[in-house]
Amino acid sequence: MNRRFSDLLAPAAFLVSLVVIATVYGTFAAWRGWFPAPQIGLAHRTLTDLSKNWKNDFALEPTRHLVRPDDSDTPPDPDRGFAVRIEDASASGYTLVTGLSERQDESVHVVRLFDDAGQEIHRWPIRYGQFDPERQPQNVMLHGMEVFEDGSLAVTFDAGNAIARVGACGAPMWVTNGSYHHAITRDGTGQLLTWKGDEIAWIDAETGDELRTLSLTDDIIPARDGEQRAYFDIRTRTPEDADEEMTYLADPFHPNDAEPLRAEMADAFPMFEAGDVLISLRELNLVAVVDPESGALKWWHHGPWIKQHDPDFQPDGTITVFDNGTDTGRSLIRRIDPADDSLSVDFAGSEALPFYTWRRGKHQFLPNGNILLTEAEHGRALEVDPEGRLVWERHMRWDETQNLIITEARNVPADFFRNGPPTCEQAEEIADASGD
C-alpha cells in the first residue's frame, strides 16, 4: 500500500534541513578554516600534485622543476641555448648558473661555470642525498649559492633541511642540518647570512657552526616595545570578538633574503651601520633594514614591488630590488634611495625583450654597468646593457619545449679564483661521494 504524501513530508523535510545545515556549515567551515575544510583541501591538493608529478617523485623526470621558456603561445626554438646578441658588450669574468641539472643521472642539482665566451669550463654536482637522507633530492630545489675563492660553494635548498659547503668536485666540506633556505650572503668577516625558518642565521663559513640567530617573530616584530608590530601583522585573521587573538594566515612572511651591509660599502649609507641587515619579506611586499642586535627597523618600505626578491645594497647609496610583479606578467628591477624613498626603474623588459618570473629571481649589477638577470621560472639567464638591450641570453634547455628552473646566475671577476678556475683532477672525490 502506498504511503500517504503527509507521511513522506516529515522525512523529506528532515533531509532538506540536513542539506541546508551542511551547506551553511560547509560555507562557514571553508571561511573560518573549520573541520573538515582544511583536510578536504589538503587531500585535493595532494591528489592533484601526485597525479601531475608522479614521474618526478619516482625520479623518472624532474617535472616539478621544468618550465616553459616563455609565456607566448609560439612554440619555442628547439635549438635554443646560448646566444650572443651584441658582440663585445658583455662583462668580463666567469658566470655561475645554479639550478637543476640536465644530467639527472649524475646529480639532481648543479652549479655550472661558464667563461666569458660562454663555454662551460667546470661544474659542481650538488648531491642533496649527502646532506640529508630524509628527503628525496628530486623534491627539494637548490636555491642559495655562495662561491669562495678556493673554488668551494655554500648551498641551501627550498623545502630542504641543510646548509652545506662543498669542494670543487661536490664533496661535502661541512653540513649543518636545519630549515635553511633561500639566499646565502657572505658578510666579509668570515660569516654567512641566510634564513632558517623565520630566523636570520649567522653561520661560520669555515666550520658550518651556527653562531647566532635573530628571530623575526621573537626579536624583530616585538622590537621598540611592540611599535613595529603594525608593519608585520598584516597577513592575519581578524578576531570575531575581544576574547580572541589575531592569528597569522599560512606563510605570513615568506622571508627570502638577508644581506648584510659590508664595511666597505657602509660609508654610502650614513643612516645605517656596517652589519645592518637588508631583508625581504615576500608576502608583505616589504623590504627593510634591521639592526642585527636589537631587531629594530632602521628603514622599511612596502612596495611598489610585488612578491619581490633579492634586494641589494649598491655602492651609490641606493637599494635595488628584483620586483617579480607576480600576476602582472612583467618583472622589473627597481631602485630606491633610502635617504628620501625616491624610486626609479633600471630595467623593465619590453615587447621585444619580455622579462618575467612570477617567483624566485636574482639580479646583479656588473662593473661595466650591465645587469645580469635570472629569469628563474623560464629557465633563462640574460645580460642587458644600461639601455636595456639584450647582450646575451642562455636557456637552460631540458627538451624541445621545456627549460630547467635556475635560481641564480652570478658573475665573478676573472681573477676571483685563487688558483684559477676550479678543476676536478681529484676524480676520486666524485667516485667516493654517495650519490642521489
Side-chain angles (χ1 to χ4, degrees):
M1 183 172 59
N2 294 330
R3 299 176 64 185
R4 293 187 306 171
F5 176 75
S6 59
D7 294 335
L8 299 173
L9 185 60
F14 177 71
L15 289 174
V16 170
S17 66
L18 286 180
V19 170
V20 171
I21 291 171
T23 302
V24 172
Y25 178 82
T27 301
F28 275 92
W31 176 41
R32 299 299 301 273
W34 294 343
F35 175 85
Q39 291 76 15
I40 293 173
L42 177 61
H44 178 265
R45 291 191 299 272
T46 300
L47 288 173
T48 301
D49 180 74
L50 289 174
S51 64
K52 180 180 178 181
N53 293 305
W54 65 270
K55 289 184 178 181
N56 184 98
D57 298 343
F58 282 97
L60 299 175
E61 184 181 20
T63 57
R64 293 185 188 278
H65 311 304
L66 299 178
V67 290
R68 286 186 53 82
D70 57 46
D71 293 319
S72 71
D73 295 326
T74 305
D77 178 1
D79 297 321
R80 67 195 179 279
F82 177 69
V84 176
R85 305 302 183 186
I86 304 177
E87 295 288 345
D88 302 321
S90 64
S92 62
Y94 302 103
T95 301
L96 296 91
V97 178
T98 301
L100 204 68
S101 175
E102 83 285 15
R103 303 178 190 170
Q104 290 284 292
D105 56 336
E106 292 183 0
S107 64
V108 171
H109 309 101
V110 71
V111 179
R112 301 168 67 182
L113 182 68
F114 300 92
D115 63 19
D116 54 11
Q119 298 298 310
E120 181 180 319
I121 59 172
H122 184 68
R123 61 171 51 206
W124 293 261
I126 306 300
R127 297 178 168 89
Y128 182 80
Q130 297 175 324
F131 316 141
D132 170 24
E134 301 299 322
R135 291 168 173 78
Q136 293 299 316
Q138 64 267 25
N139 288 334
V140 304
M141 186 63 199
L142 172 62
H143 195 147
M145 184 275 293
E146 185 59 275
V147 59
F148 296 84
E149 290 80 358
D150 65 354
S152 63
L153 303 174
V155 290
T156 58
F157 302 83
D158 291 343
N161 191 48
I163 182 172
R165 185 168 173 178
V166 300
C169 298
M173 299 169 62
W174 53 254
V175 178
T176 301
N177 290 109
S179 56
Y180 301 98
H181 59 91
H182 284 90
I184 311 172
T185 310
R186 298 169 69 179
D187 74 347
T189 70
Q191 299 178 78
L192 300 168
L193 268 72
T194 189
W195 284 96
K196 179 185 179 184
D198 285 343
E199 297 178 329
I200 303 170
W202 283 258
I203 307 293
D204 188 305
E206 294 301 317
T207 66
D209 293 336
E210 185 179 284
L211 303 176
R212 67 187 183 96
T213 61
L214 185 74
S215 169
L216 181 59
T217 53
D218 296 336
D219 299 318
I220 298 176
I221 294 177
R224 299 188 186 275
D225 295 324
E227 291 183 0
Q228 297 183 169
R229 281 193 60 191
Y231 302 118
F232 299 94
D233 286 355
I234 296 172
R235 298 193 72 243
T236 54
R237 182 175 288 105
T238 304
E240 293 299 310
D241 57 55
D243 296 329
E244 294 184 9
E245 295 182 354
M246 288 194 304
T247 54
Y248 286 117
L249 303 176
D251 192 16
F253 309 116
H254 198 94
N256 58 31
D257 203 355
E259 176 178 325
L261 178 59
R262 296 177 65 133
E264 61 266 28
M265 205 182 288
D267 287 346
F269 295 90
M271 68 290 290
F272 308 139
E273 296 180 10
D276 286 349
V277 183
L278 176 62
I279 65 172
S280 170
L281 303 183
R282 188 190 72 178
E283 293 306 289
L284 304 187
N285 300 325
L286 176 67
V287 173
V289 175
V290 178
D291 185 309
E293 302 300 329
S294 68
L297 297 183
K298 293 189 172 183
W299 173 85
W300 60 94
H301 208 281
H302 285 105
W305 38 78
I306 302 172
K307 310 293 187 184
Q308 79 292 331
H309 287 74
D310 193 31
D312 290 336
F313 291 114
Q314 298 297 341
D316 66 352
T318 63
I319 292 169
T320 55
V321 180
F322 191 110
D323 177 3
N324 289 77
T326 301
D327 204 35
T328 69
R330 187 187 191 197
S331 298
L332 310 167
I333 304 302
R334 295 187 183 269
R335 186 180 295 266
I336 185 168
D337 187 337
D340 59 11
D341 283 356
S342 57
L343 287 154
S344 59
V345 174
D346 282 42
F347 180 72
S350 63
E351 185 174 347
L353 179 54
F355 176 63
Y356 178 58
T357 177
W358 66 276
R359 64 175 178 177
R360 300 189 176 111
K362 292 274 190 175
H363 75 293
Q364 181 187 5
F365 280 83
L366 304 175
N368 65 348
N370 290 358
I371 312 174
L372 179 60
L373 300 165
T374 306
E375 194 182 42
E377 296 298 319
H378 286 141
R380 181 173 71 135
L382 59 154
E383 184 176 329
V384 298
D385 69 10
E387 286 72 47
R389 298 176 299 176
L390 180 63
V391 176
W392 60 261
E393 64 179 342
R394 181 181 296 278
H395 286 270
M396 309 308 288
R397 185 181 179 279
W398 171 255
D399 59 22
E400 289 190 359
T401 61
Q402 299 175 104
N403 283 355
L404 300 155
I405 283 180
I406 59 173
T407 48
E408 181 170 5
R410 173 91 63 90
N411 174 274
V412 296
D415 61 354
F416 176 82
F417 295 107
R418 190 178 302 134
N419 299 310
T423 61
C424 205
E425 296 175 353
Q426 306 89 357
E428 66 275 8
E429 186 176 1
I430 290 182
D432 293 343
S434 60
D436 291 329

